[in-house]
Amino acid sequence: ALQRTGHEAPATWESTSAVASKLTTSAQTLANQGLPDATPATLKSLVDDAHGAINRMADETLAELTKQLETRLRNLWLALVAKTFMCLVGLGLVSYLNACFYTDFFSKIDAVQATLRAVSKGNLSRRLNLPGHDELVKVGQHIDEMSENLSLLVSEVRSSAVRVGQAGLSVSDDGKALS
């Protein structure tokens, strides 16, 4: 399992392999030819040695795999925390930009509405003077131009009305003088 993950085999691998090979060889010889000096105690000793070696190797392998899994889990946890933090920072940044846009946009809309109300009530001297370079600023500039043109038009109408009034008085005075 360790070699499949790209790590070295446990240090006990060689000794365990040697003990297991010795047991296997003895068992095959006993089965094929019989061992004249083999006693149950000797065979039990070989089996116990192999069993102990295998258990030590299994414990060492388990410890190494557990260490690797804990390291991997810690790294994954750190990556998750980092990604979560970055997502929260991104969300905060988006929220901040949204609030800035909302504040800027709606403050300009409120100013445009207030100016249009003032102009519609006859206050042609009201100007917007919005800061920035966006579309609402351009609309505000057109409203200011419209208000200026309306003011000039009203001024010309008043001036013409005064002249018509003076002309009417002049005609009336000339009519009285002729009579």
Side-chain angles (χ1 to χ4, degrees):
L2 289 172
Q3 289 175 338
R4 284 191 307 240
T5 62
H7 295 84
E8 293 182 20
T12 56
W13 171 252
E14 293 296 325
S15 61
T16 302
S17 177
V19 170
S21 292
K22 184 177 177 182
L23 176 64
T24 305
T25 303
S26 296
Q28 287 174 346
T29 304
L30 180 65
N32 293 338
Q33 306 166 357
L35 290 175
D37 57 343
T39 63
T42 307
L43 292 176
K44 182 176 181 326
S45 174
L46 286 174
V47 169
D48 287 344
D49 288 346
H51 186 260
I54 290 171
N55 282 339
R56 283 189 299 278
M57 187 182 74
D59 290 344
E60 186 179 337
T61 303
L62 180 63
E64 180 63 27
L65 287 173
T66 301
K67 179 182 162 189
Q68 289 178 15
L69 287 174
E70 287 173 351
T71 302
R72 186 172 179 197
L73 180 62
R74 186 179 63 248
N75 291 342
L76 288 173
W77 178 251
L78 290 174
L80 177 66
V81 168
K83 288 176 184 178
T84 301
F85 177 74
M86 293 305 293
C87 286
L88 290 175
V89 167
L91 185 61
L93 182 62
V94 167
S95 297
Y96 173 75
L97 292 175
N98 187 29
C100 290
F101 172 76
Y102 179 84
T103 302
D104 182 60
F105 181 77
F106 283 104
S107 66
K108 288 178 181 177
I109 289 289
D110 290 342
V112 168
Q113 287 178 339
T115 300
L116 286 175
R117 273 195 297 274
V119 169
S120 70
K121 291 181 180 178
N123 183 1
L124 300 177
S125 64
R126 179 81 180 258
R127 297 293 178 260
L128 275 170
N129 298 323
L130 294 174
H133 303 286
D134 58 8
E135 289 77 15
L136 284 176
V137 172
K138 290 178 184 176
V139 168
Q141 290 170 349
H142 291 300
I143 290 172
D144 286 346
E145 289 175 15
M146 178 187 72
S147 182
E148 182 68 30
N149 289 339
L150 285 174
S151 181
L152 289 173
L153 184 63
V154 167
S155 172
E156 288 178 20
V157 167
R158 282 185 185 156
S159 174
S160 295
V162 167
R163 278 186 267 147
V164 167
Q166 287 176 349
L169 285 176
S170 175
V171 168
S172 170
D173 287 344
D174 285 346
K176 285 182 187 177
L178 285 177
S179 38

